[in-house]
Structures are given as structure tokens and as C-alpha cells.
Amino acid sequence: MALIAYTLFLVLGVGMRVLLHHRRTGDSGVRVSNATARPAARLSNVLLIVAFLGTFGLAAWDTFGGLPQAWSPGRLGLLVGSALCVLGIAGTILSQHQMGAAWRLGVDETERTDLVIHGLYAYSRNPIYFAIMVFGLGLGLLVPHPWMVLFLLIGYLAIEVHVRKVEEPHLLQLHGEEFERYRRRVNRYVPIAPGPSSRRR
């Protein structure tokens, strides 16, 4: 089940998004950091690759019966894990759709994009990453193993480094006070209805 969920995530949440974006804009939206990218971008990319290879490898190993489970998730754990994976995939797709032409996989610091603050982005500054975290929780329930926990934590660290050290400084440079007001009003990950004077992190 874990490998099926992961495959659906990669196909629908990554592959289809790139194809649709290219069809609508003529650009894949993929921005790969090069040797001149800031160190934080390179670090987050390395952490992301390690997390992906680890979690996908464990999901495949578990599916084909070779991975010894550290504990049994039980039927409830499998149901909850599957539901979280579905919610994570759906949230990723919806969040990407709401970004429209501003969607990017990675950051090009020479490029200007619109600041998206509608839809899910009115409640979370990073609903795509939050959906990925929800998917990761589901994956952890489907593949109950300490190594899976470790690789999921590495994936979370990759997101944190990218968001705090790459994306947010880039958006602040692009949009200035508009982004700063948005940052103060809307939570970084977990969707929470913002108040007019709330200060989020």
C-alpha cells in the first residue's frame, strides 16, 4: 500500500503538475539549483534527495515483504495511514492548482513571480509543504520502522531549510512589505484562520 501511495504522489503531485504547467505556460516550472546557488539551497536539495531515496526505498522494501516491521500498525493504523496519504496527495494537487502560473519547483532568484494569498494560501503560507507533511505522516503509519521516521525527519528538515533560508528571503526581497504583512497574518504551515492583528511564525 505504501508504494502505491508513493507512486500516486509522484505521478499526480509531481509529474502531472509539471506536464500541466508546461502545457499552460510553455515552461516546466522546475528550477534546479546550480553551483552558484546559496548554500542553504544546496543543503536543502541534498537533504531532500536523501529523504526521498530513503522513504521510497523503504516503501518498496516493505511492499515486497523484505522489511521487518518494528511494530504492527494494525488495521486502524493502516486505514488512518492510507487516509492521510490520500489527504496529502489531494492537498498537494489543490495547493499547486491554486498557485496557477506562479507555481515553481525550486527557486530562481532572478525570476519574479506573483505572491499567492488566496484559497488555501489565505490560511497557510505553505499548504503544499503542509500537505507533504500529512502525506509523510501517513507513510510513517504504513511503514512502521525507525528508519522511516529518520528519513521523514530529514525530509522535514529539508523543507525547513528551504522555506526559512531560501523561499522566504526570496519572497521578502520580491514583495517587501506586502509579504511581511502576509507573513505576520498567516501561519507558516498548519492552516489556521488568521486574525487581523495575529502574528504568525
Side-chain angles (χ1 to χ4, degrees), residues 118-140:
H118 64 271
L120 293 176
Y121 293 86
Y123 305 96
S124 167
R125 303 201 303 272
N126 299 281
I128 295 175
Y129 294 134
F130 177 71
I132 291 173
M133 293 175 192
V134 171
F135 176 83
L137 287 176
L139 199 64

Side-chain angles (χ1 to χ4, degrees), residues 108-190:
D108 180 353
E109 296 189 359
T110 67
E111 185 176 29
R112 183 176 184 87
T113 55
D114 294 334
L115 180 63
V116 179
I117 59 175
H118 64 271
L120 293 176
Y121 293 86
Y123 305 96
S124 167
R125 303 201 303 272
N126 299 281
I128 295 175
Y129 294 134
F130 177 71
I132 291 173
M133 293 175 192
V134 171
F135 176 83
L137 287 176
L139 199 64
L141 288 174
L142 294 178
V143 185
H145 195 278
W147 281 104
M148 179 60 79
V149 176
L150 174 62
F151 286 122
L152 288 173
L153 288 174
I154 292 173
Y156 173 75
L157 182 59
I159 290 174
E160 279 282 88
V161 171
H162 183 74
V163 169
R164 292 176 184 266
K165 301 299 183 182
V166 181
E167 278 196 358
E168 290 188 346
H170 175 65
L171 290 172
L172 183 60
Q173 183 179 17
L174 281 183
H175 301 287
E177 182 59 29
E178 182 184 7
F179 176 73
E180 183 61 26
R181 289 194 302 269
Y182 176 59
R183 188 189 68 82
R184 289 196 299 264
R185 190 176 71 251
V186 179
N187 209 33
R188 178 175 279 119
Y189 297 121
V190 181

Side-chain angles (χ1 to χ4, degrees), residues 60-84:
W61 191 1
D62 179 74
T63 297
F64 294 111
L67 181 68
Q69 291 188 343
W71 61 88
S72 174
R75 180 173 296 180
L76 179 60
L78 292 176
L79 288 174
V80 173
S82 299
L84 288 174

Side-chain angles (χ1 to χ4, degrees), residues 11-135:
V11 171
L12 300 177
V14 181
M16 288 299 297
R17 181 66 240 175
V18 171
L19 290 175
L20 286 173
H21 193 80
H22 187 272
R23 182 176 180 180
R24 292 170 180 171
T25 67
D27 176 27
S28 69
V30 178
R31 302 293 183 263
V32 179
S33 297
N34 54 37
T36 62
R38 63 177 65 187
R42 296 199 297 271
L43 174 60
S44 66
N45 286 343
V46 170
L47 292 173
L48 182 61
I49 291 170
V50 171
F52 166 70
L53 292 177
T55 54
F56 186 80
L58 288 171
W61 191 1
D62 179 74
T63 297
F64 294 111
L67 181 68
Q69 291 188 343
W71 61 88
S72 174
R75 180 173 296 180
L76 179 60
L78 292 176
L79 288 174
V80 173
S82 299
L84 288 174
C85 284
V86 170
L87 286 174
I89 294 170
T92 299
I93 294 171
L94 178 59
S95 301
Q96 291 171 335
H97 173 73
Q98 290 181 344
M99 284 200 78
W103 177 82
R104 295 292 185 274
L105 183 60
V107 171
D108 180 353
E109 296 189 359
T110 67
E111 185 176 29
R112 183 176 184 87
T113 55
D114 294 334
L115 180 63
V116 179
I117 59 175
H118 64 271
L120 293 176
Y121 293 86
Y123 305 96
S124 167
R125 303 201 303 272
N126 299 281
I128 295 175
Y129 294 134
F130 177 71
I132 291 173
M133 293 175 192
V134 171
F135 176 83

